[in-house]
Each structure stands twice: as C-alpha cells, then as structure tokens.
Amino acid sequence: MSEISTESKGGNKKGKPKKKSTRVDFTPMVDLGFLLITFFMLTTTLIKPQTMEISMPSKDKVPEGQETKVKASLSITIVLGKDNKVFYFFGTRENNVNPKAIQTTYAADGIRKVLLERNISVMKEVADLKDQKAKKLISEDTLKARVSRLKSGKNTPVVLIKSSDEATYNDLVDILDEMQICNIGKYAIVDITKFDLDVIKESGFERPVAGKL
C-alpha cells in the first residue's frame, strides 16, 4: 500500500506546486511471503520420489551344487550393445540346439513386445487383479501380495541382463524399466560371457566389446 502525504510549510507562493512525499507500506508483502512458504512446504511433502528397487547380489561365493538352476526353456538372455542396440536369445546351447541372437530396440514393438509375449499369462492375471482392485473387491495389500506371487511363479521367464562395454547407463535403466512394465519378477544383471558374444557373432551381427572375459 502506498500513501501520499502532503506537507505544508506555510506561505506557499501562488502558482507553486505543493511538495508530496510517497511512502510504500510493505506489510502485506510479509503475509504473502508466509503464504508462499506454507504452500511450498505442503506441496513438497506431497511429492513422492520415484525410485526403482534393485536387489543386488551377495558377494559371498555360492558353494558348488547350491547354485540356482534355470530352465533353458524359460531363460532369456539380453545383451546391451552400442548405439541403443539390444540383442536377445532364448535358452542355452544344450541338447544339440544352438540359440540364435536377434537384434531389436527399446521401442514398444521391440524388446517390450518380446517380454510381453513370454510373460503373457502373468500379464493377464495381473490385469484381472487390478480390475478387482478398481472394483474394490480386493485391497491394495492383497493386490501387491498376489502380484508378487505371480511374478515369482515356477513357470515365469527368467531374464539375464548383460551389458557390454559399449552400452550406456541409460540403456541399463531403460531395460530395467521394461522389467517393471512387463511384470518380470525374476531377472538379474550378470557378467557377459564369451558364449554370449559368440552367439551374437554367429548370428551375423557385429561382436560387442566386453573387455576382459
């Protein structure tokens, strides 16, 4: 608020303008400042950070014979290459069957389509559970518990993520996002092997760089 006060110093000459002083009242600005501080404090506490939970493997060496065995028919190996290239193949070299690597991208019709097709049964059941939750037939805790059991089921796919030296951190984050989108419950980030590189090369692609093997 501003105020204009007129000071009379007596005996003003005729025709001479009166001197006026202006005073600005900043008291309302203090109230506005507190309102803004309160607003930002409230909105900041309402924002939940989006994080990705990753279970890191233990450094303890697993005794021989106690390793987790993965069925070849359920395993999917994904190799991250340079220039946003993604290679994948199913199974391992056993029973006289040589896996063939296929090159794809991070697009919706790329690696995501592959994962969805391999995990179609889980995706359908998860969608049904979410529909029940929307109709308030089950609670949020029940939904999370059932989805967790579905994702860790016996016949669900196991994805082995392997990054070459040419891949970027952004590539790794993108593929982990795909695990969440496709409801893949069993996946691991493991070291790339000579076998993986040989499969890619024998399939007609350039062999990724993977440092010391």
Coordinates of all heavy atoms in Angstrom, one line a residue, residues 135-210:
K135 N -12.6 -52.3 -8.7 CA -14.0 -52.6 -8.2 C -14.1 -52.7 -6.7 O -15.2 -53.0 -6.2 CB -14.5 -53.8 -8.9 CG -14.6 -53.7 -10.4 CD -15.2 -54.9 -11.1 CE -15.3 -54.8 -12.6 NZ -15.7 -56.1 -13.2
K136 N -13.0 -52.5 -6.0 CA -12.9 -52.6 -4.6 C -13.2 -54.0 -4.0 O -13.8 -54.1 -2.9 CB -13.8 -51.5 -3.9 CG -13.4 -50.1 -4.3 CD -14.3 -49.1 -3.6 CE -13.8 -47.7 -3.9 NZ -14.7 -46.7 -3.3
L137 N -12.9 -55.0 -4.8 CA -13.1 -56.4 -4.4 C -11.9 -56.9 -3.6 O -12.1 -57.8 -2.8 CB -13.3 -57.3 -5.6 CG -14.6 -57.0 -6.5 CD1 -14.6 -57.9 -7.7 CD2 -15.8 -57.1 -5.7
I138 N -10.8 -56.3 -3.8 CA -9.6 -56.7 -3.0 C -8.9 -55.4 -2.6 O -9.1 -54.3 -3.2 CB -8.6 -57.6 -3.8 CG1 -8.1 -56.8 -5.1 CG2 -9.2 -58.9 -4.1 CD1 -7.1 -57.6 -5.9
S139 N -8.1 -55.5 -1.5 CA -7.4 -54.3 -1.0 C -6.0 -54.1 -1.8 O -5.6 -55.0 -2.5 CB -7.1 -54.5 0.5 OG -6.2 -55.6 0.7
E140 N -5.4 -53.0 -1.5 CA -4.1 -52.7 -2.1 C -3.0 -53.7 -1.7 O -2.2 -54.2 -2.5 CB -3.7 -51.3 -1.7 CG -2.3 -50.8 -2.4 CD -2.4 -50.6 -3.9 OE1 -3.5 -50.4 -4.4 OE2 -1.4 -50.7 -4.5
D141 N -3.1 -54.1 -0.4 CA -2.1 -55.0 0.1 C -2.3 -56.4 -0.5 O -1.3 -57.1 -0.8 CB -2.2 -55.1 1.7 CG -1.8 -53.8 2.4 OD1 -1.0 -53.1 1.7 OD2 -2.2 -53.6 3.5
T142 N -3.5 -56.8 -0.7 CA -3.8 -58.1 -1.3 C -3.3 -58.1 -2.7 O -2.8 -59.1 -3.2 CB -5.3 -58.4 -1.2 OG1 -5.8 -58.4 0.1 CG2 -5.6 -59.7 -1.9
L143 N -3.5 -57.0 -3.4 CA -3.1 -56.9 -4.8 C -1.6 -57.0 -4.9 O -1.1 -57.8 -5.7 CB -3.5 -55.5 -5.4 CG -2.9 -55.1 -6.8 CD1 -3.5 -56.1 -7.8 CD2 -3.3 -53.7 -7.1
K144 N -0.8 -56.3 -4.1 CA 0.6 -56.4 -4.1 C 1.1 -57.8 -3.8 O 2.0 -58.3 -4.4 CB 1.2 -55.4 -3.1 CG 1.0 -53.9 -3.5 CD 1.7 -53.0 -2.5 CE 1.5 -51.6 -2.9 NZ 2.1 -50.6 -1.9
A145 N 0.5 -58.5 -2.8 CA 0.9 -59.8 -2.4 C 0.7 -60.8 -3.5 O 1.5 -61.7 -3.8 CB 0.2 -60.2 -1.2
R146 N -0.5 -60.7 -4.2 CA -0.8 -61.7 -5.3 C 0.0 -61.4 -6.5 O 0.5 -62.4 -7.2 CB -2.3 -61.6 -5.6 CG -3.2 -62.1 -4.5 CD -4.7 -62.1 -5.0 NE -5.6 -62.6 -3.9 CZ -6.9 -62.7 -4.1 NH1 -7.4 -62.5 -5.3 NH2 -7.6 -63.2 -3.1
V147 N 0.3 -60.2 -6.8 CA 1.1 -59.9 -8.0 C 2.6 -60.4 -7.7 O 3.2 -60.9 -8.6 CB 1.1 -58.3 -8.2 CG1 2.2 -58.0 -9.2 CG2 -0.2 -57.9 -8.7
S148 N 3.0 -60.2 -6.5 CA 4.4 -60.7 -6.2 C 4.5 -62.2 -6.3 O 5.5 -62.7 -6.9 CB 4.7 -60.3 -4.7 OG 6.0 -60.8 -4.4
R149 N 3.4 -62.9 -5.9 CA 3.5 -64.4 -6.1 C 3.4 -64.8 -7.6 O 4.1 -65.7 -8.0 CB 2.3 -65.0 -5.3 CG 2.5 -65.1 -3.8 CD 1.5 -66.0 -3.2 NE 0.1 -65.6 -3.4 CZ -0.6 -64.9 -2.5 NH1 0.0 -64.4 -1.4 NH2 -1.8 -64.6 -2.7
L150 N 2.6 -64.1 -8.3 CA 2.5 -64.4 -9.8 C 3.9 -64.2 -10.5 O 4.3 -65.0 -11.3 CB 1.5 -63.5 -10.4 CG 0.0 -63.8 -10.1 CD1 -0.9 -62.7 -10.7 CD2 -0.4 -65.2 -10.8
K151 N 4.5 -63.1 -10.2 CA 5.8 -62.7 -10.8 C 6.9 -63.7 -10.5 O 7.9 -63.9 -11.3 CB 6.2 -61.3 -10.5 CG 5.3 -60.2 -11.1 CD 5.5 -58.9 -10.5 CE 6.8 -58.3 -10.8 NZ 6.9 -56.9 -10.4
S152 N 6.8 -64.3 -9.3 CA 7.9 -65.3 -8.9 C 7.4 -66.7 -9.1 O 8.0 -67.6 -8.5 CB 8.3 -65.0 -7.4 OG 7.1 -65.2 -6.6
G153 N 6.4 -66.9 -9.9 CA 5.9 -68.3 -10.2 C 6.9 -69.2 -10.8 O 8.0 -68.8 -11.3
K154 N 6.6 -70.5 -10.7 CA 7.5 -71.5 -11.2 C 7.8 -71.5 -12.7 O 8.9 -71.7 -13.1 CB 7.0 -72.9 -10.8 CG 7.9 -74.0 -11.1 CD 7.3 -75.4 -10.7 CE 8.2 -76.5 -11.0 NZ 7.6 -77.8 -10.5
N155 N 6.8 -71.1 -13.5 CA 7.0 -71.2 -14.9 C 7.1 -69.8 -15.6 O 6.8 -69.6 -16.7 CB 5.8 -72.0 -15.6 CG 5.8 -73.4 -15.2 OD1 6.9 -74.1 -15.1 ND2 4.6 -73.9 -14.8
T156 N 7.4 -68.8 -14.8 CA 7.6 -67.5 -15.3 C 9.0 -67.3 -15.9 O 10.0 -68.0 -15.5 CB 7.4 -66.4 -14.2 OG1 8.3 -66.7 -13.1 CG2 6.0 -66.4 -13.8
P157 N 9.2 -66.4 -16.9 CA 10.5 -66.3 -17.5 C 11.6 -65.8 -16.6 O 11.3 -65.0 -15.7 CB 10.3 -65.4 -18.7 CG 9.0 -64.6 -18.3 CD 8.2 -65.6 -17.5
V158 N 12.8 -66.2 -16.9 CA 14.0 -65.7 -16.1 C 14.9 -64.9 -17.1 O 15.3 -65.4 -18.1 CB 14.8 -66.8 -15.5 CG1 16.0 -66.3 -14.8 CG2 13.9 -67.6 -14.6
V159 N 15.1 -63.6 -16.8 CA 15.8 -62.7 -17.8 C 17.2 -62.5 -17.2 O 17.3 -62.0 -16.1 CB 15.0 -61.4 -18.0 CG1 15.8 -60.5 -18.9 CG2 13.6 -61.6 -18.5
L160 N 18.2 -62.7 -18.0 CA 19.6 -62.4 -17.7 C 20.0 -61.2 -18.5 O 20.1 -61.2 -19.7 CB 20.5 -63.6 -18.0 CG 20.1 -64.9 -17.4 CD1 21.0 -66.1 -17.8 CD2 20.1 -64.8 -15.8
I161 N 20.3 -60.1 -17.8 CA 20.7 -58.8 -18.4 C 22.2 -58.7 -18.4 O 22.8 -58.8 -17.4 CB 20.0 -57.6 -17.7 CG1 18.5 -57.8 -17.7 CG2 20.5 -56.3 -18.4 CD1 17.8 -56.8 -16.8
K162 N 22.8 -58.6 -19.6 CA 24.2 -58.5 -19.7 C 24.6 -57.3 -20.5 O 24.1 -57.1 -21.7 CB 24.8 -59.8 -20.4 CG 24.3 -61.0 -19.6 CD 25.0 -62.3 -20.2 CE 24.5 -63.5 -19.4 NZ 25.2 -64.7 -19.9
S163 N 25.4 -56.4 -20.0 CA 25.8 -55.2 -20.6 C 27.2 -55.2 -21.2 O 28.2 -55.6 -20.5 CB 25.7 -54.0 -19.6 OG 26.1 -52.8 -20.2
S164 N 27.4 -54.8 -22.4 CA 28.7 -54.7 -23.0 C 29.4 -53.4 -22.6 O 28.7 -52.5 -22.0 CB 28.6 -54.8 -24.5 OG 28.0 -53.7 -25.0
D165 N 30.6 -53.3 -22.9 CA 31.4 -52.0 -22.5 C 30.9 -50.9 -23.4 O 31.2 -49.7 -23.0 CB 32.9 -52.2 -22.7 CG 33.5 -53.2 -21.7 OD1 32.7 -53.5 -20.7 OD2 34.6 -53.5 -21.8
E166 N 30.2 -51.1 -24.5 CA 29.7 -50.1 -25.4 C 28.3 -49.5 -25.0 O 27.9 -48.5 -25.5 CB 29.7 -50.6 -26.8 CG 31.0 -51.1 -27.3 CD 30.9 -51.8 -28.6 OE1 30.1 -52.7 -28.7 OE2 31.6 -51.5 -29.6
A167 N 27.7 -50.2 -24.0 CA 26.3 -49.7 -23.6 C 26.5 -48.6 -22.6 O 27.5 -48.4 -22.0 CB 25.6 -50.9 -23.0
T168 N 25.4 -47.8 -22.4 CA 25.4 -46.7 -21.5 C 24.6 -47.0 -20.3 O 23.8 -48.0 -20.3 CB 24.9 -45.4 -22.2 OG1 23.5 -45.7 -22.6 CG2 25.6 -45.1 -23.5
Y169 N 24.7 -46.1 -19.3 CA 23.9 -46.3 -18.1 C 22.4 -46.1 -18.4 O 21.5 -46.7 -17.8 CB 24.3 -45.3 -17.0 CG 25.6 -45.6 -16.3 CD1 26.7 -44.9 -16.6 CD2 25.7 -46.7 -15.5 CE1 28.0 -45.2 -16.0 CE2 26.9 -47.0 -14.8 CZ 28.0 -46.3 -15.1 OH 29.2 -46.6 -14.5
N170 N 22.1 -45.2 -19.4 CA 20.7 -45.0 -19.8 C 20.1 -46.3 -20.4 O 19.0 -46.6 -20.2 CB 20.7 -43.9 -20.8 CG 19.3 -43.5 -21.1 OD1 18.5 -43.0 -20.2 ND2 18.8 -43.6 -22.4
D171 N 21.0 -47.0 -21.1 CA 20.5 -48.3 -21.7 C 20.1 -49.3 -20.6 O 19.1 -50.0 -20.7 CB 21.6 -49.0 -22.5 CG 21.9 -48.1 -23.8 OD1 21.0 -47.4 -24.2 OD2 23.0 -48.2 -24.3
L172 N 20.9 -49.3 -19.5 CA 20.6 -50.2 -18.4 C 19.3 -49.8 -17.7 O 18.5 -50.7 -17.3 CB 21.8 -50.2 -17.4 CG 21.7 -51.2 -16.2 CD1 21.6 -52.6 -16.7 CD2 22.9 -51.1 -15.3
V173 N 19.2 -48.5 -17.5 CA 17.9 -48.0 -16.8 C 16.7 -48.3 -17.7 O 15.7 -48.7 -17.2 CB 18.0 -46.5 -16.6 CG1 16.7 -46.0 -16.1 CG2 19.1 -46.2 -15.5
D174 N 16.8 -48.2 -19.0 CA 15.7 -48.5 -19.9 C 15.3 -49.9 -19.8 O 14.1 -50.2 -19.8 CB 16.1 -48.1 -21.3 CG 16.1 -46.6 -21.6 OD1 15.6 -45.9 -20.8 OD2 16.7 -46.2 -22.6
I175 N 16.3 -50.8 -19.8 CA 15.9 -52.3 -19.8 C 15.3 -52.7 -18.4 O 14.5 -53.5 -18.3 CB 17.2 -53.1 -20.1 CG1 16.7 -54.5 -20.6 CG2 18.1 -53.2 -19.0 CD1 15.9 -54.6 -21.8
L176 N 15.8 -52.0 -17.3 CA 15.2 -52.3 -16.0 C 13.8 -51.7 -16.0 O 12.9 -52.3 -15.3 CB 16.0 -51.6 -14.9 CG 17.4 -52.2 -14.7 CD1 18.2 -51.4 -13.7 CD2 17.3 -53.7 -14.2
D177 N 13.5 -50.6 -16.6 CA 12.1 -50.1 -16.7 C 11.2 -51.1 -17.4 O 10.1 -51.3 -17.1 CB 12.1 -48.8 -17.5 CG 12.5 -47.6 -16.7 OD1 12.5 -47.8 -15.4 OD2 12.9 -46.6 -17.2
E178 N 11.8 -51.8 -18.5 CA 11.0 -52.8 -19.2 C 10.6 -54.0 -18.3 O 9.6 -54.6 -18.5 CB 11.8 -53.3 -20.4 CG 12.0 -52.2 -21.5 CD 10.7 -51.6 -22.0 OE1 9.7 -52.3 -22.1 OE2 10.7 -50.4 -22.3
M179 N 11.5 -54.3 -17.4 CA 11.2 -55.4 -16.4 C 10.0 -55.1 -15.6 O 9.1 -55.9 -15.3 CB 12.4 -55.6 -15.5 CG 13.7 -56.1 -16.2 SD 13.6 -57.6 -17.1 CE 13.8 -57.0 -18.8
Q180 N 9.9 -53.8 -15.2 CA 8.7 -53.4 -14.4 C 7.5 -53.3 -15.2 O 6.4 -53.8 -14.8 CB 9.0 -52.0 -13.8 CG 10.3 -52.0 -12.9 CD 10.2 -52.9 -11.7 OE1 9.1 -53.1 -11.1 NE2 11.3 -53.6 -11.4
I181 N 7.6 -52.8 -16.4 CA 6.4 -52.7 -17.3 C 5.8 -54.0 -17.7 O 4.6 -54.2 -17.7 CB 6.8 -51.9 -18.6 CG1 7.2 -50.4 -18.2 CG2 5.7 -51.9 -19.6 CD1 7.8 -49.7 -19.4
C182 N 6.7 -55.0 -17.9 CA 6.3 -56.3 -18.4 C 6.1 -57.3 -17.2 O 5.9 -58.5 -17.4 CB 7.3 -56.9 -19.4 SG 7.6 -55.9 -20.8
N183 N 6.2 -56.8 -16.0 CA 5.9 -57.6 -14.8 C 6.9 -58.8 -14.7 O 6.4 -59.9 -14.4 CB 4.5 -58.1 -14.7 CG 3.5 -57.0 -14.3 OD1 3.8 -56.3 -13.3 ND2 2.5 -56.7 -15.1
I184 N 8.1 -58.6 -15.1 CA 9.1 -59.7 -15.0 C 9.6 -59.7 -13.5 O 10.2 -58.7 -13.1 CB 10.3 -59.4 -15.9 CG1 9.8 -59.4 -17.4 CG2 11.3 -60.5 -15.8 CD1 9.2 -60.6 -17.9
G185 N 9.4 -60.8 -12.8 CA 9.7 -60.8 -11.4 C 11.1 -61.5 -11.2 O 11.7 -61.2 -10.1
K186 N 11.6 -62.2 -12.2 CA 12.9 -62.9 -12.0 C 13.9 -62.4 -13.1 O 13.8 -62.9 -14.2 CB 12.7 -64.4 -12.1 CG 11.9 -65.0 -10.9 CD 11.8 -66.5 -10.9 CE 10.9 -67.0 -12.0 NZ 10.6 -68.4 -12.0
Y187 N 14.7 -61.6 -12.7 CA 15.8 -61.1 -13.6 C 17.0 -60.7 -12.8 O 17.0 -60.5 -11.6 CB 15.3 -59.8 -14.4 CG 14.9 -58.6 -13.5 CD1 15.9 -57.7 -13.2 CD2 13.7 -58.5 -13.0 CE1 15.6 -56.6 -12.5 CE2 13.4 -57.4 -12.2 CZ 14.3 -56.4 -12.0 OH 14.0 -55.3 -11.2
A188 N 18.1 -60.7 -13.5 CA 19.4 -60.5 -12.8 C 20.4 -59.8 -13.8 O 20.3 -60.1 -15.0 CB 20.0 -61.8 -12.3
I189 N 21.2 -58.9 -13.2 CA 22.3 -58.3 -14.0 C 23.5 -59.1 -13.8 O 24.1 -59.1 -12.7 CB 22.5 -56.8 -13.6 CG1 21.2 -56.1 -13.7 CG2 23.6 -56.2 -14.4 CD1 21.2 -54.7 -13.2
V190 N 24.0 -59.8 -14.8 CA 25.2 -60.6 -14.7 C 26.2 -60.3 -15.7 O 26.0 -59.5 -16.7 CB 24.8 -62.1 -14.9 CG1 23.8 -62.6 -13.7 CG2 24.1 -62.3 -16.2
D191 N 27.4 -60.8 -15.5 CA 28.5 -60.5 -16.5 C 28.3 -61.2 -17.8 O 27.8 -62.3 -17.9 CB 29.9 -61.0 -15.9 CG 30.2 -60.2 -14.6 OD1 29.8 -59.1 -14.5 OD2 30.9 -60.8 -13.7
I192 N 28.7 -60.5 -18.8 CA 28.6 -61.1 -20.2 C 29.7 -62.1 -20.4 O 30.8 -62.0 -19.8 CB 28.8 -59.9 -21.2 CG1 28.3 -60.4 -22.6 CG2 30.2 -59.4 -21.3 CD1 28.2 -59.3 -23.6
T193 N 29.4 -63.2 -21.1 CA 30.4 -64.3 -21.3 C 30.8 -64.4 -22.8 O 30.2 -63.8 -23.7 CB 29.8 -65.6 -20.8 OG1 28.7 -65.9 -21.7 CG2 29.3 -65.5 -19.4
K194 N 31.8 -65.2 -23.0 CA 32.3 -65.4 -24.4 C 31.2 -66.1 -25.2 O 31.1 -65.9 -26.4 CB 33.6 -66.2 -24.3 CG 34.2 -66.5 -25.7 CD 35.5 -67.3 -25.6 CE 36.1 -67.5 -27.0 NZ 35.2 -68.2 -27.9
F195 N 30.5 -67.0 -24.5 CA 29.4 -67.7 -25.2 C 28.4 -66.7 -25.7 O 27.9 -66.9 -26.9 CB 28.7 -68.7 -24.2 CG 27.4 -69.2 -24.7 CD1 27.4 -70.2 -25.7 CD2 26.2 -68.8 -24.2 CE1 26.2 -70.8 -26.2 CE2 25.0 -69.3 -24.7 CZ 25.0 -70.3 -25.7
D196 N 28.0 -65.7 -24.9 CA 27.0 -64.7 -25.4 C 27.5 -64.0 -26.6 O 26.8 -63.8 -27.6 CB 26.7 -63.7 -24.3 CG 26.3 -64.4 -23.0 OD1 25.5 -65.3 -23.1 OD2 26.7 -64.0 -21.9
L197 N 28.8 -63.6 -26.6 CA 29.4 -62.8 -27.7 C 29.5 -63.7 -29.0 O 29.2 -63.2 -30.1 CB 30.7 -62.3 -27.3 CG 30.8 -61.3 -26.1 CD1 32.2 -60.9 -25.8 CD2 29.9 -60.1 -26.4
D198 N 29.8 -65.0 -28.8 CA 29.9 -65.9 -29.9 C 28.5 -66.1 -30.5 O 28.4 -66.2 -31.8 CB 30.5 -67.2 -29.5 CG 31.9 -67.1 -29.1 OD1 32.6 -66.1 -29.5 OD2 32.4 -68.0 -28.4
V199 N 27.5 -66.2 -29.7 CA 26.1 -66.4 -30.3 C 25.7 -65.2 -31.1 O 25.1 -65.4 -32.2 CB 25.1 -66.6 -29.1 CG1 23.7 -66.5 -29.6 CG2 25.3 -67.9 -28.4
I200 N 26.1 -64.0 -30.7 CA 25.7 -62.8 -31.4 C 26.5 -62.7 -32.8 O 26.0 -62.5 -33.8 CB 26.0 -61.5 -30.6 CG1 25.1 -61.4 -29.4 CG2 25.9 -60.3 -31.5 CD1 25.4 -60.3 -28.4
K201 N 27.8 -63.1 -32.7 CA 28.6 -63.1 -33.9 C 28.2 -64.2 -34.9 O 28.1 -63.9 -36.1 CB 30.1 -63.3 -33.5 CG 31.0 -63.2 -34.7 CD 32.5 -63.3 -34.3 CE 33.4 -63.2 -35.5 NZ 34.8 -63.4 -35.1
E202 N 27.9 -65.3 -34.4 CA 27.4 -66.4 -35.3 C 26.1 -66.2 -35.9 O 25.7 -66.8 -36.9 CB 27.4 -67.8 -34.5 CG 28.8 -68.2 -34.0 CD 28.7 -69.4 -33.0 OE1 27.6 -69.9 -32.8 OE2 29.8 -69.8 -32.6
S203 N 25.3 -65.2 -35.3 CA 24.0 -64.9 -35.8 C 24.1 -63.8 -36.9 O 23.1 -63.4 -37.4 CB 23.1 -64.4 -34.7 OG 22.9 -65.5 -33.7
G204 N 25.3 -63.4 -37.2 CA 25.5 -62.4 -38.3 C 25.6 -61.0 -37.9 O 25.6 -60.1 -38.7
F205 N 25.8 -60.7 -36.6 CA 26.0 -59.3 -36.1 C 27.4 -59.1 -35.6 O 28.2 -60.0 -35.4 CB 25.0 -59.1 -34.9 CG 23.6 -59.4 -35.2 CD1 22.9 -60.5 -34.8 CD2 22.8 -58.5 -36.1 CE1 21.6 -60.8 -35.1 CE2 21.5 -58.7 -36.4 CZ 20.9 -59.9 -35.9
E206 N 27.7 -57.7 -35.5 CA 29.0 -57.3 -35.0 C 29.2 -57.7 -33.6 O 28.3 -57.5 -32.7 CB 29.2 -55.8 -35.2 CG 30.5 -55.3 -34.8 CD 30.6 -53.8 -34.9 OE1 29.7 -53.2 -35.4 OE2 31.6 -53.2 -34.4
R207 N 30.3 -58.3 -33.2 CA 30.5 -58.8 -31.9 C 30.7 -57.6 -30.9 O 31.6 -56.7 -31.2 CB 31.8 -59.6 -31.9 CG 32.0 -60.4 -30.6 CD 33.3 -61.3 -30.8 NE 33.5 -62.2 -29.7 CZ 34.2 -61.9 -28.6 NH1 34.8 -60.7 -28.5 NH2 34.3 -62.8 -27.6
P208 N 29.9 -57.4 -29.9 CA 30.0 -56.3 -29.0 C 31.4 -56.4 -28.2 O 32.0 -57.5 -28.1 CB 28.9 -56.5 -28.0 CG 27.9 -57.4 -28.7 CD 28.7 -58.3 -29.6
V209 N 31.8 -55.2 -27.7 CA 33.1 -55.2 -27.0 C 32.7 -55.4 -25.5 O 31.8 -54.7 -24.9 CB 33.8 -53.8 -27.1 CG1 35.0 -53.7 -26.3 CG2 34.1 -53.6 -28.6
A210 N 33.4 -56.3 -24.9 CA 33.1 -56.7 -23.5 C 34.3 -56.8 -22.6 O 34.3 -57.5 -21.6 CB 32.3 -57.9 -23.4

